[in-house]
Amino acid sequence: MKLEVVGMADPLADPLADPLAERAKRPVSAALAGPYGHPFHPILVTVPIGAWVGSLVFDIASHLVHDPAFLAQGAMWLIALGVIGALAAAMVGFLDLFAIPPGTRAFRVGLMHMTLNLLVTAAYAGNFLWRHAGVGPTGSVGGGVLALNAVSLVVLSISGYLGGKLAYRYGVRVADEITQAEGFAPAHSRPDRPTG
């Protein structure tokens, strides 16, 4: 006896047979969002993630050294670098979101991912302005900006989990399984080279 659920695709069916899933794998614009199977968004998100993690490390370290001003200033500029990188990643991420068919689970996850990332970017922009107010950082960072940095990083981690779900669970902007299988075919030696 086969159990059928109305309105649900068979999870064991060929994923290539689903035109909605195939649409989410293709870029809206290869020149802007990256070619098929190699999107730019995952590459660009490394800039804000690295900068913002580094800024938290600098914030914490500013409480552990004798002359903390250079760490506080470094954290402030890492935050600025992260905001610029996040805006670049967001522009490409919007294009990837437009490739996902509306009304699907993947689209809802994509909207949540985008919303959290925009909130985190706004929080870091505010954090930069807070630090830059007046004469800028001159000593250890204050507890408020450090807490905002840490909370923003936690929210960014949640958003990163959702981004991973888009790619690894729903296959958004991931090459189809036939294309992926090319990577597991035996490598053949070139006939014009000796094999010994």
Side-chain angles (χ1 to χ4, degrees), residues 57-85:
V57 170
F58 278 27
D59 279 353
I60 294 168
S62 77
H63 290 273
L64 304 175
V65 298
H66 177 66
D67 184 19
F70 76 99
L71 291 168
Q73 279 198 324
M76 182 181 73
W77 291 112
L78 282 170
I79 287 171
L81 176 65
V83 169
I84 293 166

Side-chain angles (χ1 to χ4, degrees), residues 116-133:
L116 290 176
N117 283 335
L118 291 175
L119 287 172
V120 167
T121 303
Y124 272 113
N127 196 324
F128 174 81
L129 294 173
W130 187 0
R131 291 166 188 254
H132 200 265

Side-chain angles (χ1 to χ4, degrees), residues 12-196:
L12 301 177
D14 180 8
L16 300 178
D18 184 1
L20 293 179
E22 182 60 26
R23 177 178 156 195
K25 293 181 176 301
R26 300 284 172 186
V28 172
S29 166
L32 297 175
Y36 173 71
H38 197 70
F40 294 152
H41 182 71
I43 299 166
L44 293 173
V45 299
T46 62
V47 173
I49 292 169
W52 291 337
V53 168
S55 73
L56 183 61
V57 170
F58 278 27
D59 279 353
I60 294 168
S62 77
H63 290 273
L64 304 175
V65 298
H66 177 66
D67 184 19
F70 76 99
L71 291 168
Q73 279 198 324
M76 182 181 73
W77 291 112
L78 282 170
I79 287 171
L81 176 65
V83 169
I84 293 166
L87 294 174
M91 287 189 287
V92 176
F94 285 134
L95 293 175
D96 289 347
L97 180 64
F98 294 145
I100 303 171
T104 61
R105 287 182 183 164
F107 189 77
R108 285 195 309 262
V109 171
L111 283 177
M112 181 59 70
H113 175 67
M114 176 192 70
T115 302
L116 290 176
N117 283 335
L118 291 175
L119 287 172
V120 167
T121 303
Y124 272 113
N127 196 324
F128 174 81
L129 294 173
W130 187 0
R131 291 166 188 254
H132 200 265
V135 295
T138 57
S140 303
V141 298
V145 292
L146 194 148
L148 179 58
N149 194 346
V151 168
S152 298
L153 209 54
V154 168
V155 175
L156 183 66
S157 299
I158 295 166
S159 181
Y161 168 80
L162 295 175
K165 187 173 185 176
L166 286 168
Y168 299 116
R169 173 125 177 121
Y170 298 134
V172 173
R173 292 299 320 274
V174 175
D176 60 54
E177 290 182 6
I178 293 171
T179 305
Q180 291 175 22
E182 293 173 4
F184 297 96
H188 300 288
S189 62
R190 293 176 54 187
D192 58 344
R193 294 177 55 186
T195 59

